[in-house]
Amino acid sequence: MLEILIFASLHALTNSVQVADVVLSCSFIEEGGGMTGAHFIRSPATVVLRDLPMSPDLSADTITPYIPPDNPSADDLIFEATALSVEIPEAESLLHADCNEQEVTCELSHYIPQGTKADSVPVHFIVSVQLEGGGVGFTLVLQTMTDENAESNTASLIQSKLQLPLSQWGTLITDVVFVVFSRSPSLVAAIGEDIVLDCGYRQRDTPTEQNLGLEWRWQYRGQGKTILDMKETESGTFLSVDRDGTSANSTLLVRDGNASLSMKKLKVSDEGTYICTINSGPFQTQQIVQMNIIEPPRVFFHENKITFPDEAPKRLSCHCERYYPLDVTVEWFSKLPSEKDSISLTDRSSLSSHRQHSDGTYSLSSFLIIRPPEYPPGTVFTCRVSHVGLQTPSDVSLTVFQPEPGQLTSLWEYYWMILVTLVLSVLFLYQASR
Ligand SMILES: *[C@@H]1O[C@H](CO)[C@@H](O)[C@H](O)[C@H]1NC(C)=O
Ligand SMILES: *[C@@H]1O[C@H](CO)[C@@H](O)[C@H](O)[C@H]1NC(C)=O
């Protein structure tokens, strides 16, 4: 498992906006060549996001200041990234992630902007930062800063892997030039709901010609398709949509960098991974938004009461109706009137197969055969259903009732009537056939 550390230091800029440095433990990923084909090499790296604006009420006590290494080494991979000209929304959630013990994944690698060569200067890197369990996800493009004093400063360290000059404290100084982000990179929705998948971008330099592209792609279990493709060019907006009730706003895309996707009337089949790709000037960067559909089951008994009019065993059926996703757990308990505790009967129960409805939801029944002598009137049977859509398991219960005396007689009368009718009809038919 990747070890994630976040340190930060708070300090005030002259304009009194509180800012912090966030330090992320990352993996630097390179494609390793070799005869055996492509594979990836991971090396530990550090990304220091400098001067991120923070809310003024953030307590300085929660923060451990970042200290650069005492003895800078040419083997260290420390990227210092200034994000003053490119806002990273909700970067503050990175600080809270540490307190909430949320895992942060940070990966970085070389990046070649469109229209540049692999060895051109300045050098670019791409950093993907994802917070597990909500928060923010973003992908940054870093650009090395051209150091005016580089000529004079011949004594500076050269990073051994990147062959790039380091600052006097051993870091690679970069500037954030492009970011694509989502403020809700993972969300849960119900069938029929209208949702907005959040995605946006910020760019340091306004591209000379306005060529902007937004693509939303859906992927699920090996399938995938582009559901929205929008291009802003000087000659107008080009748009193609491959799902009814899906839209993005081109005005907001250009004006605010808002690339959110609106989807109306969600279906089970909309579940999946959505990839928001922004194409702006030389940069093309993506952010993933995971969308899961959850529908809790409706739980009920098929029977509305239990009585044992005779010695015959009874079957109880507990129904879980129209839920999604598939995984559901059904447990059974009985509580005798003379006992304090419930006894689990789950081992004795059986399940029907799943039935899938046309809307993609499932239904399932669980059965329990009960025999009268064990369960006197007053016994309570409980069916407990657990599902990801239920905050707590859903319980339904049925109590064994004393059979009403009338019930027995009327049942016998009923059988007698059928028997008498049968005998009479047979006699009649017999007579008629003679
Ligand atoms: C796009 O957003 C703008 C600004 O909020 C709004 O005026 C416009 O009606 C929106 N366009 C569509 C097609 O929803
Ligand atoms: C982005 O646009 C969508 C509509 O397309 C809107 O619902 C959402 O609030 C906007 N996000 C921001 C941060 O303004």
Side-chain angles (χ1 to χ4, degrees):
M1 201 176 71
L2 203 68
E3 193 201 353
I4 301 296
L5 294 168
I6 299 173
F7 301 103
S9 65
L10 272 181
H11 46 270
L13 283 185
T14 45
N15 57 4
S16 85
V17 172
Q18 189 169 231
V19 294
D21 297 341
V22 174
V23 183
L24 300 163
S25 285
C26 304
S27 291
F28 184 74
I29 299 172
E30 292 164 285
E31 213 172 313
M35 308 302 275
T36 52
H39 64 288
F40 294 99
I41 304 167
R42 286 174 171 266
S43 321
T46 304
V47 171
V48 185
L49 296 173
R50 292 221 80 124
D51 301 334
L52 295 179
M54 295 292 152
S55 70
D57 51 313
L58 187 74
S59 157
D61 306 341
T62 58
I63 283 163
T64 321
Y66 168 69
I67 302 154
D70 285 339
N71 301 306
S73 151
D75 295 331
D76 286 346
L77 271 174
I78 306 171
F79 294 79
E80 245 185 271
T82 316
L84 269 185
S85 42
V86 174
E87 171 218 6
I88 304 172
E90 291 187 25
E92 203 177 316
S93 60
L94 288 172
L95 294 181
H96 303 311
D98 198 28
C99 312
N100 302 343
E101 297 187 354
Q102 272 175 294
E103 200 160 303
V104 182
T105 314
C106 173
E107 293 182 335
L108 88 159
S109 53
H110 264 293
Y111 181 78
I112 302 163
Q114 285 157 41
T116 66
K117 295 215 181 71
D119 57 356
S120 56
V121 178
V123 181
H124 291 84
F125 299 92
I126 191 160
V127 190
S128 165
V129 179
Q130 308 297 327
L131 249 82
E132 199 139 294
V136 67
F138 54 83
T139 309
L140 307 171
V141 176
L142 308 181
Q143 179 180 306
T144 53
M145 301 260 241
T146 35
D147 187 356
E148 291 85 27
N149 308 324
E151 309 283 306
S152 59
N153 195 358
T154 44
S156 79
L157 278 174
I158 302 292
Q159 213 290 329
S160 56
K161 194 185 276 292
L162 307 173
Q163 293 301 312
L164 291 170
L166 298 179
S167 68
Q168 60 192 36
W169 51 92
T171 60
L172 187 72
I173 311 277
T174 66
D175 200 13
V176 178
V177 288
F178 192 63
V179 55
V180 174
F181 57 83
S182 176
R183 280 159 290 207
S184 55
S186 118
L187 75 162
V188 162
I191 296 168
E193 216 180 302
D194 298 345
I195 56 158
V196 175
L197 301 181
D198 185 69
C199 180
Y201 75 97
R202 301 286 185 269
Q203 190 162 2
R204 191 188 64 180
D205 311 313
T206 316
T208 42
E209 49 182 317
Q210 186 59 292
N211 263 335
L212 189 59
L214 165 65
E215 186 201 66
W216 275 96
R217 207 178 147 69
W218 163 86
Q219 284 184 349
Y220 187 72
R221 298 198 177 156
Q223 301 173 55
K225 67 174 181 184
T226 297
I227 58 165
L228 183 132
D229 192 3
M230 187 183 263
K231 284 189 180 66
E232 271 305 316
T233 63
E234 259 128 37
S235 50
T237 306
F238 160 84
L239 176 68
S240 103
V241 176
D242 189 359
R243 185 200 175 276
D244 287 344
T246 305
S247 62
N249 186 320
S250 63
T251 315
L252 294 178
L253 178 71
V254 175
R255 196 188 68 191
D256 304 345
N258 180 344
S260 298
L261 184 78
S262 301
M263 294 173 83
K264 294 220 181 305
K265 293 208 173 72
L266 281 189
K267 296 197 277 289
V268 163
S269 57
D270 291 321
E271 183 171 68
T273 305
Y274 288 80
I275 303 156
C276 167
T277 304
I278 307 277
N279 229 307
S280 180
F283 306 117
Q284 177 177 314
T285 302
Q286 306 178 323
Q287 174 60 42
I288 283 171
V289 179
Q290 180 65 41
M291 199 271 288
N292 289 99
I293 300 275
I294 292 185
E295 258 324 300
R298 195 168 76 86
V299 182
F300 59 95
F301 271 114
H302 182 65
E303 298 74 23
N304 38 36
K305 71 177 194 178
I306 323 169
T307 55
F308 291 114
D310 49 40
E311 295 291 290
K314 285 260 153 155
R315 189 173 84 154
L316 300 182
S317 334
C318 177
H319 286 300
C320 311
E321 207 174 59
R322 292 192 179 263
Y323 56 88
Y324 189 88
L326 185 65
D327 289 328
V328 75
T329 311
V330 185
E331 294 167 284
W332 287 89
F333 301 94
S334 69
K335 195 188 147 305
L336 297 177
S338 54
E339 301 280 327
K340 261 202 149 94
D341 300 318
S342 299
I343 300 162
S344 170
L345 298 175
T346 313
D347 291 351
R348 291 210 241 157
S349 67
S350 60
L351 286 176
S352 72
S353 56
H354 291 276
R355 296 182 296 280
Q356 190 166 22
H357 302 278
S358 55
D359 65 359
T361 59
Y362 296 97
S363 291
L364 172 105
S365 303
S366 178
F367 307 110
L368 183 72
I369 309 277
I370 49 172
R371 285 166 221 288
E374 289 177 62
Y375 303 114
T379 305
V380 178
F381 289 96
T382 302
C383 168
R384 173 169 297 167
V385 176
S386 310
H387 183 264
V388 62
L390 297 167
Q391 298 239 303
T392 54
S394 179
D395 281 0
V396 288
S397 298
L398 267 184
T399 308
V400 178
F401 280 98
Q402 191 90 49
E404 291 159 33
Q407 198 188 352
L408 214 66
T409 345
S410 61
L411 210 67
W412 279 115
E413 275 168 5
Y414 180 67
Y415 286 138
W416 267 114
M417 255 170 64
I418 293 175
L419 197 67
V420 168
T421 319
L422 260 169
V423 167
L424 286 179
S425 354
V426 167
L427 279 177
F428 175 77
L429 282 172
Y430 180 71
Q431 286 292 336
S433 65
R434 275 168 57 116

